[in-house]
Amino acid sequence: IQKLCDRVASSTLLDDRRDAVRALKSLSKKYRLEVGIQAMEHLIHVLQTDRSDSEIIGYALDTLYNVISNDLEEEEQEENSAKQVDDLGSQFTEIFIKQQENVTLLLTLVEEFDFHVRWPGVKLLTSLLKQQGPQVQQIILVSPMGVSRLMDLLADSREVIRNDGVLLLQQLTKSNAAIQKIVAFENAFERLLDIITEEGNSDGGIVVEDCLLLLQNLLKNNNSNQNFFKEGSYIQRMKPWFEVGDDNCGWSAQKVTNLHLMLQLVRVLVSPTNPPGATSSCQKAMFHCGLLQQLCTILMATGVPADILTETINTVSEVIRGCQTNQDYFASVNAPSNPPRPAIVVLLMSMVNERQPFVLRCAVLYCFQCFLYKNQKGQGEIVSTLLPSTIDATGNSVSAGQLLCGGLFSTDSLSNWCAAVALAHALQENATLKEQLLRVQLATSIGNPPVSLLQQCTNILSQGSKVQTRVGLLMLLCTWLSNCSIAVTHFLHNPANVPFLTGQIAENLGEEEQLVQGLCALLLGISIYYNDNSLENYRKEKLKQLIEKRIGRENFIEKLGFISKHELYSRAAQKPQPSFSSPDHMMFDHEFTKLVKELEGVISKAIYKSSEEDKKEEEVKKTLEQHDNIVTHYKKVIREQDQELEELKQRVNTLTSQNEQLQATVAQQVSQIQQHKDQYNLLKVQLGKDTQHHNSHGDTFQMNGIQTEEVSKLKEELEEWKKKHELLQGQLKEKDSVIEKLNSSQLEMGTTEQSSQTSKFGGLEHNNELQKELEMLKSQIQLQSAEISKLQMENQKLQVMNTAADPMLGDSGATAATSSELEGRLEQEIKELKSEVKALSEEKESLKQNLDSSSSTVAILQDEKSKLQREVAESKKEQDDLLVLLADQDQKISALKIKLKDLGVPVEDEDDTESGDQGDEDEDGDEEEQD
């Protein structure tokens, strides 16, 4: 080995060094210590200097792996040297990683694609992580892109490297949240789920198992990665894992292992130890994607191996725990039997059947507990199957309640314990059901009167059955009587119960019986603490005197302390799932340990209180109850007012929105009206443009300042003047004819003047009259001639105007034709405009009516809004008055509490009891509760 090391260090030829390293590799398995001590430094030097030759690098990596790794063949290990071998690997690893550059160099070599370099590099790094995990993790974490380089191994097309890469990442992610986050955000979930799918899901081989173990490392106790897994919709990709056929016989061991790990992975996401919000969101996602339904199918399938069935029950338990939707779905699941039975009933039948495996019975109990956890509806359904009004008289079907009662009183102590704990969970934090369960009557034997369930439990206790049975019954009775005064009264009403308890506590028994003594002390303490003094013989003071005489207070407190000091109590308090190594260790329930923690202190204080303190406490309690009633009443009133106020606000919002819609409608209509106005004005402008266009082509609509209407008026006047002119011409012709007649008559008179001298004097007077008439006619003719000449001048002027208005036309006939044509066109366009104006006017009128109706609606809405605002103000005023009353009550309570504290009486805050109402009260109400 020394010669080979010298050759590696001093040879100048690469072939010589390669041969020497190959020889060291062959010796490294048998002479691990010697090769490690002498050759490690030289091998690291080879890795640094001979990077160009992949063959020598591969030999060097293999040699280092053989030296560091503890994964030797079994036949090569001696039984007495196992510890020495482990120490040897750890020591060599420590030497190798002392120089951080060595690990960084190894990360660089792992990036090489050459198979002979990459594969031994991956194996060596895995071995280093196994030997000195935290130190190597820290070096990789601070190395630039260290984790990212290793993630590339999952994408390698060579399955050997990919599979060993999964093993490397398993070691890398152990107990290191920072590396887990980096690996998750490097798309590890996507790649691992793809590998699982490629390998055939649960039917795959060892590779699927390795991927599932890596997924568990990434998700367990890592809230960030769990949230990333859920947000990335990877829960939906888990559903195909749980698809099973009708024939489930002959499952391979690998399939059982894979399915077991898959179920554990689901439980990691919904574990009760996770933050409640994260667990709840994962539970909802599992329901919506159908994963819960698939698990229930496995639950009810036939031929499923027992350990898979047990783990499936545990998984379903945690998927439904505290999630109302999932619990309701589970309650609706039926087993494929004839007739169909609810899955809960089928599971309870397994729980109370002593032939079933112990772990399966524990799993069913856990499932039942998870079904009832924070599920008052489910609790009510279970208890209702015990009540007289709902029991099936025909006996055709077995109910959950009947199975629990059967288990409670069977000869198998484990069935007794499981049934008692299950029934206690049905009563957990539910005072109503505790009272209802008092009505349950049992027929013990033919001919005897029925006995209450409470009485039967105490009868079995007094018969001296097994310790496990008595512990279960005592836990049931403690849960039943706690915080339920009526149940305490029923318990004390049986005169044999108190002597039995005091007798059990007072005796000095062995270690096994000490647990029963502690539980009897707890039950007696509950009977004192929750006693309402309704039975004269068993008032608080008398019971305390009885303890003082028969047992002694100190002895009583000591026996009470036996419970919390017990080893099995500590185990049960750790987690909700009942996990016991053997049936004999099945003593305490997780929820019951919480009850013991809550009651142990208050019972100890209650035992030492004097009668006067009890009286004062009773008075304070009564006052507090009165105060609570008043507060509850006012809370109810305030809640109702808040609801009314909310309704009024909603109405105001509705009316406001309607008002806004109407205003928007009005605004829209106004804009439409404006648009119509704009269109109307635009038409007028276009009409004006058309008239200008006609005028430019010789039309006589407007010329020399004369408008169309003036032209038509002038034409009418012209026609009138023409008619007058013709009339005067006719009159003138008549006058001319009269004058001619007069002239002719005058000539005739001149010719006959000499012949008619005899008549000269007689006709002279007549002649004078005719002369006067002639002069009058001449003057009249002159006037008419002047008027005619005036009319002719006006006529000429009009003709001049007409000709000036149409210079393009040569004669008056063409002018008249053009003007008549223009008049026709003008009249037609005026008619069209009038019809459009009429239509617009009608539309405007309808819009105006709509606007008026909208305005009236708005006014009505505004009136209603003002009324609502006044009502809101009145409600606020009433609420303020109520708050003042509450403040007064609070001051009284504070004074009473101060008096109690002065007297040394502990007064509990009521935050827990009032927490359900805190969301409905304002800030002042919260302060009252905290006080």
Side-chain angles (χ1 to χ4, degrees):
I1 292 170
Q2 183 62 46
K3 287 180 181 178
L4 290 170
C5 290
D6 291 341
R7 193 182 299 173
V8 171
S10 59
S11 294
T12 55
L13 291 176
L14 180 61
D15 291 342
D16 293 342
R17 293 199 301 275
R18 187 189 303 123
D19 292 341
V21 173
R22 187 191 295 116
L24 285 171
K25 175 190 171 186
S26 62
L27 293 169
S28 59
K29 287 187 179 180
K30 190 172 183 180
Y31 302 102
R32 180 181 176 192
L33 179 61
E34 292 80 2
V35 173
I37 292 172
Q38 298 180 44
M40 181 173 284
E41 187 178 346
H42 299 296
L43 292 170
I44 292 170
H45 184 70
V46 167
L47 295 178
Q48 293 170 343
T49 57
D50 290 329
R51 291 278 302 278
S52 58
D53 186 64
S54 60
E55 196 172 351
I56 192 172
I57 295 292
Y59 291 147
L61 290 170
D62 282 333
T63 307
L64 287 170
Y65 172 73
N66 291 338
V67 169
I68 290 172
S69 173
N70 292 325
D71 300 333
L72 301 177
E73 298 292 334
E74 288 186 3
E75 59 267 16
E76 295 180 14
Q77 289 187 8
E78 296 180 9
E79 293 181 3
N80 58 357
S81 66
K83 186 176 180 183
Q84 181 185 354
V85 168
D86 288 345
D87 292 342
L88 197 60
S90 180
Q91 289 170 6
F92 281 133
T93 302
E94 197 170 341
I95 294 168
F96 185 84
I97 67 173
K98 190 174 288 183
Q99 299 294 328
Q100 293 190 8
E101 296 81 5
N102 294 341
V103 179
T104 309
L105 175 64
L106 195 53
L107 288 172
T108 309
L109 292 172
V110 168
E111 281 190 291
E112 296 287 339
F113 187 73
D114 193 309
F115 181 82
H116 296 291
V117 176
R118 197 172 208 183
W119 189 40
V122 169
K123 291 196 294 182
L124 176 57
L125 194 52
T126 306
S127 184
L128 291 173
L129 283 162
K130 283 182 181 177
Q131 303 296 337
Q132 297 286 342
Q135 293 89 329
V136 180
Q137 283 175 340
Q138 197 58 34
I139 295 169
I140 293 173
L141 194 57
V142 298
S143 175
M145 299 293 289
V147 178
S148 300
R149 294 178 192 176
L150 300 178
M151 282 300 299
D152 293 337
L153 296 171
L154 294 180
D156 200 304
S157 58
R158 295 160 293 194
E159 287 191 8
V160 177
I161 294 178
R162 184 199 68 185
N163 297 346
D164 280 350
V166 173
L167 295 173
L168 169 60
L169 290 170
Q170 273 184 33
Q171 299 298 326
L172 181 66
T173 54
K174 274 186 179 177
S175 306
N176 193 311
I179 292 178
Q180 289 167 2
K181 289 179 184 177
I182 295 171
V183 171
F185 282 96
E186 287 284 345
N187 208 22
F189 294 138
E190 185 77 32
R191 295 183 185 182
L192 291 170
L193 291 171
D194 287 342
I195 293 171
I196 291 171
T197 305
E198 289 168 11
E199 295 291 325
N201 293 329
S202 60
D203 294 320
I206 190 75
V207 179
V208 172
E209 180 183 345
D210 292 336
C211 289
L212 291 167
L213 288 169
L214 177 52
L215 283 170
Q216 278 195 22
N217 281 357
L218 295 174
L219 292 171
K220 198 166 187 178
N221 300 323
N222 193 318
N223 298 330
S224 173
N225 282 3
Q226 288 173 7
N227 189 51
F228 181 65
F229 192 85
K230 179 185 73 69
E231 295 296 334
S233 299
Y234 296 117
I235 290 176
Q236 287 82 332
R237 295 188 60 179
M238 297 168 75
K239 183 187 173 186
W241 296 354
F242 304 104
E243 291 175 356
V244 295
D246 296 330
D247 184 16
N248 297 309
C249 300
W251 284 13
S252 66
Q254 187 61 58
K255 179 167 184 175
V256 171
T257 303
N258 290 345
L259 207 52
H260 203 273
L261 288 171
M262 288 169 174
L263 290 166
Q264 285 182 350
L265 196 61
V266 174
R267 292 185 66 184
V268 164
L269 294 170
V270 292
S271 171
T273 58
N274 293 344
T279 300
S280 176
S281 58
C282 288
Q283 287 172 330
K284 290 175 183 175
M286 288 175 183
F287 174 75
H288 290 303
C289 76
L291 180 58
L292 174 60
Q293 293 85 327
Q294 203 71 47
L295 292 172
C296 290
T297 303
I298 297 177
L299 204 65
M300 295 292 110
T302 54
V304 178
D307 52 345
I308 293 296
L309 182 61
T310 303
E311 190 63 22
T312 304
I313 294 171
N314 287 327
T315 306
V316 170
S317 306
E318 293 183 351
V319 173
I320 67 173
R321 187 177 189 269
C323 180
Q324 189 67 53
T325 307
N326 294 7
Q327 288 166 337
D328 291 344
Y329 169 76
F330 184 69
S332 68
V333 174
N334 286 324
S337 59
N338 191 16
R341 286 177 175 169
I344 296 171
V345 172
V346 175
L347 291 173
L348 287 177
M349 290 170 74
S350 300
M351 187 184 76
V352 297
N353 185 352
E354 56 187 301
R355 292 192 297 273
Q356 292 291 344
F358 172 64
V359 288
L360 179 65
R361 298 173 75 181
C362 290
V364 173
L365 175 62
Y366 184 46
C367 186
F368 192 71
Q369 290 174 350
C370 291
F371 170 66
L372 297 177
Y373 182 69
K374 292 184 178 179
N375 182 11
Q376 292 196 351
K377 179 182 174 185
Q379 289 176 323
E381 289 171 354
I382 296 298
V383 172
S384 68
T385 59
L386 285 165
L387 298 178
S389 58
T390 56
I391 291 175
D392 186 4
T394 60
N396 291 332
S397 62
V398 181
S399 67
Q402 289 170 324
L403 286 170
L404 290 177
C405 279
L408 199 61
F409 308 123
S410 75
T411 55
D412 177 31
S413 62
L414 189 60
S415 295
N416 301 153
W417 190 91
C418 290
V421 170
L423 201 54
H425 275 262
L427 303 175
Q428 202 81 36
E429 297 178 0
N430 199 324
T432 307
L433 294 181
K434 290 177 183 178
E435 294 177 12
Q436 287 188 4
L437 202 63
L438 295 169
R439 295 165 45 205
V440 176
Q441 300 289 320
L442 302 173
T444 53
S445 59
I446 300 172
N448 293 332
V451 180
S452 71
L453 177 61
L454 185 67
Q455 182 62 46
Q456 185 66 14
C457 290
T458 54
N459 290 344
I460 295 173
L461 270 179
S462 60
Q463 290 169 6
S465 50
K466 290 183 181 179
V467 173
Q468 192 174 41
T469 302
R470 284 182 286 159
V471 167
L473 289 170
L474 284 167
M475 285 196 297
L476 171 60
L477 290 172
C478 288
T479 307
W480 194 347
L481 268 58
S482 65
N483 206 22
C484 184
S485 300
I486 299 174
V488 171
T489 305
H490 277 70
F491 178 76
L492 296 175
H493 194 70
N494 185 352
N497 287 341
V498 173
F500 167 73
L501 291 178
T502 53
Q504 286 285 316
I505 300 166
E507 289 183 18
N508 291 318
L509 304 171
E511 288 186 5
E512 289 185 358
E513 294 294 329
Q514 284 183 351
L515 193 53
V516 176
Q517 285 184 313
L519 290 169
C520 287
L522 179 66
L523 183 58
L524 187 56
I526 289 171
S527 301
I528 294 171
Y529 185 72
Y530 291 106
N531 193 338
D532 59 359
N533 293 328
S534 57
L535 294 174
E536 186 62 33
N537 294 333
Y538 296 105
R539 296 174 66 84
K540 282 186 179 182
E541 189 57 35
K542 289 188 177 181
L543 288 174
K544 284 194 280 190
Q545 289 173 2
L546 187 65
I547 289 173
E548 181 68 30
K549 289 177 183 177
R550 297 276 181 90
I551 305 166
R553 290 181 183 177
E554 289 77 10
N555 192 22
F556 179 86
I557 299 299
E558 183 186 354
K559 297 290 175 71
L560 184 62
F562 283 165
I563 302 173
S564 56
K565 291 175 184 175
H566 202 281
E567 181 187 357
L568 297 176
Y569 174 90
S570 303
R571 287 185 192 174
Q574 290 173 1
K575 59 180 182 177
Q577 183 183 1
S579 55
F580 307 101
S581 56
S582 69
D584 296 335
H585 292 161
M586 207 172 196
M587 289 293 174
F588 283 110
D589 171 56
H590 178 75
E591 291 296 325
F592 181 73
T593 61
K594 294 181 182 178
L595 184 68
V596 173
K597 285 178 187 176
E598 180 186 339
L599 293 177
E600 191 175 8
V602 296
I603 288 173
S604 300
K605 291 177 183 176
I607 295 297
Y608 282 103
K609 283 178 184 173
S610 64
S611 58
E612 293 180 359
E613 289 175 342
D614 277 340
K615 287 179 181 177
K616 288 179 181 177
E617 187 178 347
E618 285 297 324
E619 292 176 0
V620 171
K621 277 188 177 179
K622 287 180 181 177
T623 311
L624 288 173
E625 284 177 3
Q626 290 176 356
H627 169 261
D628 288 344
N629 292 335
I630 294 170
V631 169
T632 306
H633 172 69
Y634 282 129
K635 279 182 183 175
K636 186 179 178 182
V637 172
I638 290 170
R639 199 176 293 114
E640 290 174 355
Q641 289 182 345
D642 283 341
Q643 289 176 354
E644 291 177 3
L645 190 63
E646 194 63 33
E647 290 175 359
L648 291 172
K649 283 181 180 177
Q650 289 177 358
R651 283 184 61 191
V652 169
N653 291 334
T654 306
L655 293 172
T656 305
S657 61
Q658 289 178 356
N659 188 12
E660 290 173 354
Q661 289 176 359
L662 291 171
Q663 286 179 348
T665 307
V666 170
Q668 187 179 0
Q669 290 175 349
V670 169
S671 65
Q672 287 178 356
I673 291 169
Q674 189 60 40
Q675 287 178 1
H676 289 310
K677 284 183 178 178
D678 294 340
Q679 290 176 1
Y680 176 68
N681 293 330
L682 185 62
L683 288 171
K684 284 177 71 178
V685 171
Q686 287 178 351
L687 182 60
K689 287 182 180 178
D690 290 341
T691 55
Q692 288 179 3
H693 178 70
H694 291 314
N695 289 339
S696 65
H697 287 79
D699 296 334
T700 57
F701 293 139
Q702 183 176 0
M703 182 60 71
N704 298 329
I706 302 171
Q707 300 295 330
T708 308
E709 294 178 356
E710 293 177 358
V711 171
S712 60
K713 286 180 181 179
L714 289 171
K715 286 180 180 179
E716 290 174 359
E717 289 180 2
L718 180 61
E719 292 296 327
E720 289 177 0
W721 285 117
K722 282 181 180 179
K723 290 178 182 177
K724 287 181 179 179
H725 178 67
E726 290 174 357
L727 184 62
L728 291 172
Q729 286 284 351
Q731 289 179 355
L732 185 60
K733 286 179 179 178
E734 288 178 359
K735 296 295 182 184
D736 286 340
S737 63
V738 172
I739 291 168
E740 287 177 359
K741 286 179 181 178
L742 289 173
N743 287 330
S744 62
S745 63
Q746 189 175 3
L747 289 173
E748 288 176 359
M749 287 171 63
T751 56
T752 58
E753 185 177 355
Q754 291 177 359
S755 61
S756 59
Q757 288 178 356
T758 55
S759 60
K760 181 177 180 182
F761 293 101
L764 182 60
E765 187 176 354
H766 181 63
N767 193 17
N768 289 332
E769 290 177 0
L770 289 173
Q771 285 290 336
K772 290 178 182 177
E773 189 178 354
L774 182 60
E775 289 175 0
M776 287 173 64
L777 287 170
K778 283 182 179 179
S779 61
Q780 191 175 359
I781 288 168
Q782 287 175 357
L783 291 170
Q784 288 179 351
S785 298
E787 192 175 356
I788 287 168
S789 61
K790 184 179 178 182
L791 289 170
Q792 286 176 347
M793 287 173 66
E794 288 182 2
N795 189 13
Q796 287 175 358
K797 287 181 180 179
L798 289 170
Q799 287 178 356
V800 169
M801 288 169 62
N802 287 330
T803 52
D806 194 7
M808 300 295 292
L809 299 175
D811 55 341
S812 60
T815 303
T818 304
S819 24
S820 63
E821 183 182 351
L822 290 173
E823 285 173 7
R825 288 171 60 189
L826 182 61
E827 286 173 0
Q828 185 178 356
E829 289 180 359
I830 286 169
K831 286 179 181 177
E832 291 176 356
L833 288 171
K834 282 182 178 179
S835 63
E836 288 179 2
V837 169
K838 186 177 179 182
L840 290 170
S841 300
E842 291 173 355
E843 191 172 357
K844 180 180 177 182
E845 192 65 29
S846 65
L847 290 173
K848 189 176 179 182
Q849 290 175 358
N850 289 337
L851 181 61
D852 293 338
S853 63
S854 299
S855 301
S856 62
T857 307
V858 169
I860 293 167
L861 291 174
Q862 287 176 347
D863 291 341
E864 289 183 2
K865 181 179 177 182
S866 60
K867 288 179 182 176
L868 291 173
Q869 286 175 344
R870 287 197 296 272
E871 289 175 3
V872 168
E874 289 174 2
S875 298
K876 285 182 177 178
K877 186 178 177 183
E878 289 176 5
Q879 192 170 353
D880 291 337
D881 294 340
L882 293 174
L883 289 172
V884 169
L885 289 172
L886 285 174
D888 293 338
Q889 290 292 332
D890 186 68
Q891 289 177 359
K892 292 178 183 178
I893 294 305
S894 298
L896 289 170
K897 285 184 178 179
I898 290 166
K899 288 180 181 179
L900 279 174
K901 287 178 181 177
D902 292 336
L903 292 168
V905 177
V907 180
E908 292 181 357
D909 293 335
E910 296 177 352
D911 292 342
D912 293 335
T913 59
E914 298 296 333
S915 61
D917 293 313
Q918 284 179 358
D920 297 324
E921 296 182 354
D922 54 12
E923 188 176 349
D924 295 334
D926 287 339
E927 290 174 3
E928 286 174 21
E929 288 183 1
Q930 290 168 4
D931 291 339

